[in-house]
Amino acid sequence: MKNFLSKIPEQVKRLSVLLVIIVIGFVVVTSYLVPKDFGVLGHYRASAVQSNANKEMHYAGQELCASCHEDILKTKMQGYHKNLSCEVCHGPSLKHTDEPDQFKPNKPRDRKFCPICHEYNPSRPTGFPQITSASHNQRKICVTCHNPHNPTPPQTPKECEACHGEIARTKSFSAHADIPCTRCHEASEKHKLMPREYLPTKPVKREFCGGCHATDAKSAPEIPRIDLATHEPRYVCWQCHYPHLPEAK
Amino acid sequence: MEKNVIELNKKVERRSFLKKLAVFALAPLTVRILAQDEKFKKVKKWILDNGYVPSDHKWGMGIDISKCIGCGRCADACKNENNVPRDPFFFRTWVERYRIFENGDIKVDSPNGSIDGFENIPAKEKILRSFFVPKICNHCENPPCVQVCPVGATFKSEDGVVLVDSDYCVGCRYCIQACPYGARFLHPVKHTAEKCTFCYQRIVNDKLPACVEVCPTQARIFGELNKKASPLVRFLRMNKIGVLKPSLNTEPKVYYANLDMEVK
């Protein structure tokens, strides 16, 4: 053993002492600097979970509003706005629930407010009720005719365009511009009141289009004809022709 | 001989000095390590002040793209709830509009994160399909942002939520670079990293994240991943699900229904 130690060069011995001191120094210093709760749950300070949880809330959530405004919630649950949170319109109102008289929520009566959701935009999914605010009953604010808590329009929309604006606009530039929606879709009045519960029909057979386009169809002479038997018989027509824009070119 | 004895004494002195030094240095350390060990044994479950136990939960979010109307109320509510600076470059959640043209071009825009709405599309644009995509931190199971943090100031909590310890963050921006989803930013005043926390202050109190609370069409679904009676589990059962950038193996916990292949 002694023999072995004496074989190690002196400078290596001294250096290793230095090394040991540095390592110990490092361990001691880090053990004092690293916070106590670091590493308890993982490579982080466990108390940071609490400080994230301690941040101040601003939105109360619809359930809280209901405890004082039950009537309004009841109205809302019956109408089209049933899925809307009170605070999407009235803004964050947690403070109001603590001190109702001190803090009053916004009342968004401005005409600019409702179009945030309802302005026509072709990227919106079909079926979503949209208007062009520049032409929809200008000069009056929306709440004069629509109760914000149950916005069912004073009369049923006449046009399919109200909720299918994108399709209606596409069709209006197409060869089918003059064919009314209801020539191809049987839509009951109920569809305009409860759209998802009463869906309209859609054509199911090639012969439906053939009614106007087949060679032997009794329809206006300017309508282009195809031979049902030979014109792509393995497919239904709308696999190739978008019925609201049927042009092939 | 005499010299040797002196030499020997010296050696002994040095050795005992080193010994003492070692004892002085290591004693507190061992005590600390032992204490730590003790702590480890005690902390079976970490419990927050209000009784919330992180390890009892596993949170995730579902987003149905076909339901999003692009109203931007989520992005707005997020800023209200979390005091996110109002400038148009700081978002914890935002909505993008995708426009895919007949010639294959793709345009993605998100003016002010969707808060002010989107311009109508000019009629002359030849669009094949167009839709809105809400974006948010994906709360990855393997979060790259956590891996790169040099001080352990961002972490995946036991309930799966990726959080920031803003008292410990040194503002080095590594995590912002590492996030493949662009979901982080540096707070312009505090100079610490910021990101979506699923509104941690809300979910520990049994409330929905603000963006989910205000979504008018239920395009966003929030809930437990590991409990059967959860709206999120139904969402995952009933839809064809996609996640963003699956090839990176980040394993997002934000799940998209009706995700278009062009969405990055």
Side-chain angles (χ1 to χ4, degrees):
Chain A
M1 183 64 182
K2 225 179 201 166
N3 209 3
F4 170 72
L5 279 179
S6 65
K7 266 195 203 150
I8 301 177
E10 187 62 22
Q11 63 270 39
V12 172
K13 282 187 199 160
R14 292 188 183 187
L15 274 179
S16 37
V17 169
L18 197 67
L19 191 74
V20 167
I21 290 175
I22 290 174
V23 168
I24 290 174
F26 177 77
V27 171
V28 171
V29 169
T30 49
S31 88
Y32 280 105
L33 286 185
V34 172
K36 278 199 207 88
D37 56 342
F38 198 96
V40 174
L41 300 176
H43 189 68
Y44 60 94
R45 296 190 319 148
S47 58
V49 181
Q50 184 69 54
S51 48
N52 269 286
N54 285 348
K55 301 232 164 83
E56 195 196 345
M57 280 190 268
H58 295 86
Y59 282 86
Q62 174 157 307
E63 291 75 19
L64 255 184
C65 314
S67 56
C68 299
H69 297 289
E70 203 183 331
D71 47 332
I72 291 183
L73 182 72
K74 214 180 250 166
T75 315
K76 188 172 77 72
M77 292 316 283
Q78 277 148 20
Y80 285 104
H81 279 168
K82 58 178 178 294
N83 285 336
L84 267 65
S85 161
C86 312
E87 286 163 296
V88 69
C89 296
H90 291 294
S93 311
L94 187 59
K95 278 192 182 142
H96 166 73
T97 59
D98 294 335
E99 288 170 277
D101 298 321
Q102 214 68 29
F103 300 96
K104 289 270 157 89
N106 303 331
K107 282 199 290 183
R109 291 165 53 88
D110 197 277
R111 247 188 94 89
K112 289 211 191 71
F113 177 72
C114 313
I116 291 174
C117 290
H118 288 293
E119 190 69 59
Y120 171 69
N121 187 319
S123 308
R124 293 196 158 140
T126 198
F128 187 77
Q130 295 162 64
I131 51 147
T132 307
S133 51
S135 58
H136 182 81
N137 305 301
Q138 308 111 298
R139 287 195 297 277
K140 282 194 189 137
I141 56 169
C142 315
V143 291
T144 46
C145 305
H146 302 278
N147 175 353
H149 304 133
N150 183 359
T152 308
Q155 73 225 35
T156 329
K158 289 179 287 295
E159 307 296 336
C160 314
E161 183 172 3
C163 306
H164 300 290
E166 169 62 0
I167 290 176
R169 272 171 221 223
T170 306
K171 187 170 81 65
S172 69
F173 296 115
S174 80
H176 281 166
D178 296 333
I179 309 176
C181 309
T182 43
R183 174 69 174 77
C184 304
H185 302 288
E186 266 175 58
S188 69
E189 273 305 290
K190 282 181 179 157
H191 174 63
K192 298 177 183 171
L193 296 169
M194 285 173 278
R196 289 189 181 79
E197 285 80 350
Y198 299 92
L199 285 173
T201 61
K202 291 188 285 191
V204 284
K205 286 206 199 115
R206 317 171 71 232
E207 284 69 27
F208 175 82
C209 310
C212 287
H213 287 290
T215 27
D216 55 352
K218 292 184 190 68
S219 59
E222 69 274 14
I223 295 178
R225 304 303 164 118
I226 46 108
D227 184 352
L228 272 186
T230 58
H231 188 74
E232 309 292 354
R234 289 180 58 218
Y235 303 90
V236 287
C237 315
W238 42 93
Q239 277 173 285
C240 296
H241 301 283
Y242 184 48
H244 314 127
L245 185 69
E247 282 82 344
K249 280 142 217 135
Chain B
M1 184 64 194
E2 233 183 52
K3 198 172 164 259
N4 270 348
V5 170
I6 294 167
E7 204 58 68
L8 208 72
N9 277 348
K10 244 193 200 159
K11 262 186 197 152
V12 170
E13 266 166 28
R14 195 188 286 145
R15 188 178 296 154
S16 69
F17 168 73
L18 282 179
K19 257 191 204 156
K20 276 180 200 156
L21 187 81
V23 169
F24 273 117
L26 291 176
L29 185 70
T30 20
V31 169
R32 285 180 77 94
I33 289 174
L34 284 178
Q36 197 108 33
D37 210 45
E38 193 73 348
K39 202 160 53 181
F40 256 123
K41 278 177 210 144
K42 250 190 275 165
V43 180
K44 278 232 181 62
K45 269 188 179 174
W46 191 257
I47 303 175
L48 299 191
D49 295 349
N50 67 347
Y52 174 87
V53 181
S55 55
D56 286 352
H57 303 270
K58 185 102 180 168
W59 300 110
M61 187 181 284
I63 297 179
D64 188 344
I65 290 179
S66 67
K67 286 189 173 168
C68 179
I69 60 168
C71 64
R73 293 310 85 202
C74 46
D76 185 62
C78 172
K79 290 205 170 193
N80 290 337
E81 174 70 19
N82 297 297
N83 301 316
V84 178
R86 277 277 154 188
D87 320 54
F89 347 98
F90 307 114
F91 299 100
R92 290 177 173 206
T93 186
W94 66 98
V95 181
E96 292 170 357
R97 171 172 64 180
Y98 275 71
R99 274 173 289 175
I100 292 149
F101 295 90
E102 284 176 2
N103 66 2
D105 285 356
I106 302 166
K107 265 195 208 158
V108 186
D109 63 347
S110 184
N112 193 14
S114 74
I115 291 178
D116 306 331
F118 292 85
E119 289 282 299
N120 202 337
I121 297 176
K124 62 178 192 316
E125 287 190 5
K126 294 245 179 278
I127 289 190
L128 196 54
R129 57 185 192 275
S130 177
F131 47 87
F132 298 105
V133 183
K135 292 272 182 89
I136 191 171
C137 166
N138 281 285
H139 295 276
C140 309
E141 265 309 280
N142 305 318
C145 53
V146 170
Q147 281 163 31
V148 301
C149 180
V151 296
T154 186
F155 57 92
K156 195 179 78 199
S157 173
E158 291 170 293
D159 44 17
V161 182
V162 178
L163 296 174
V164 175
D165 181 348
S166 33
D167 299 329
Y168 212 52
C169 173
V170 294
C172 72
R173 295 183 173 85
Y174 272 157
C175 55
I176 299 171
Q177 297 284 321
C179 175
Y181 305 105
R184 287 173 167 257
F185 60 90
L186 201 74
H187 194 285
V189 181
K190 293 192 273 178
H191 297 293
T192 56
E194 279 265 326
K195 68 180 289 298
C196 159
T197 63
F198 276 160
C199 289
Y200 207 67
Q201 69 278 19
R202 301 180 64 79
I203 60 175
V204 301
N205 287 306
D206 236 355
K207 288 184 189 290
L208 292 171
C211 58
V212 181
E213 168 72 28
V214 301
C215 178
T217 58
Q218 299 193 342
R220 293 180 186 243
I221 300 286
F222 181 78
E224 300 269 9
L225 281 166
N226 288 349
K227 297 192 179 144
K228 285 237 167 62
S230 145
L232 186 58
V233 172
R234 192 247 180 204
F235 182 88
L236 297 177
R237 199 198 311 279
M238 302 301 278
N239 290 297
K240 307 280 176 292
I241 297 292
V243 295
L244 299 180
K245 303 190 183 173
S247 60
L248 298 179
N249 283 328
T250 51
E251 292 186 37
K253 290 198 289 291
V254 173
Y255 305 91
Y256 286 91
N258 302 305
L259 184 66
D260 195 278
M261 67 179 270
E262 304 295 357
V263 177
K264 298 278 147 46

